[in-house]
Amino acid sequence: MTTTLPRWLADIPAEQPYPLAFATVSGAHLYGFPSVDSDVDLRGVHLLPLPDIVGLRPPEETITRSWRRDGVEVDLVTHDLAKFCGLLLNRNGYVLEQLLSPLVVASSPVHQELVAIAPGCVTRFHAYHYLGFARTQWKLFEKARELKPLLYTFRVLLTGIHLVRTGELVADLTRLYGGGPPYLKELVAAKKAGEHGGLPGGAPALDVLAGDVEGLTAALELARDESPLPGAATAADALHDLVVRVRLDQGLR
């Protein structure tokens, strides 16, 4: 069962081919609705040795692995530090959520510095990430009528609204109920009972769901237009300096 995270997650960072600056849990566990058959999504940053960066062989900028342990499917994706920082500067909500996830499996001074720099990466135009993600998930829901993409739709819209209004990232849907329709609690409870189930009995009709999604989409667009956040990241120099310092330190080892 993965409604609670297994203790052996802490062993995984040491098993990787490169040192990890951090590893955190993403996916349903971060979003507040893991089910008994949810996999565990680990995300993070690895630190390539200097010869891999300056040599002729293409470096492993992104590493993806999947496996099962004790009946739990684990999905691990890590990016090299420089690639991760580039994504952070490109209004990428995925990596921002990974960096700021409170479900930390491994940390380091580099991780802590990235977290401190993160507010300078947040812009009003992160709204486009969440708008696009919501459209994709809603189309999946319309096609399959499964609960999971519906909850993802509500989750990303509410996360996006809160982010561009306040600059605070909250990925846990259960902390955002106040901004959404009243039936979200019932949908989350149903999702926790199974990863790929349909809508529970008594769920709102499709036209009600569509109307609420449309309303939250409009709210996110308005929040974007009225946001006090800057239009571009201000942390480029700080991230550049961090990458250079880490690279040079690796070269001296």
Side-chain angles (χ1 to χ4, degrees), residues 142-173:
E142 287 185 309
K143 180 178 180 180
R145 294 292 197 273
E146 285 194 348
L147 180 55
K148 181 177 178 179
L150 177 62
L151 278 179
Y152 271 61
T153 302
F154 282 119
R155 199 286 296 180
V156 297
L157 288 170
L158 290 169
T159 293
I161 291 168
H162 188 80
L163 178 65
V164 298
R165 281 178 177 170
T166 69
E168 179 192 23
L169 181 68
V170 178
D172 185 342
L173 179 59

Side-chain angles (χ1 to χ4, degrees), residues 80-91:
D80 169 59
L81 176 63
K83 180 173 182 178
F84 186 86
C85 290
L87 293 170
L88 268 180
L89 292 172
N90 195 30
R91 65 191 190 207

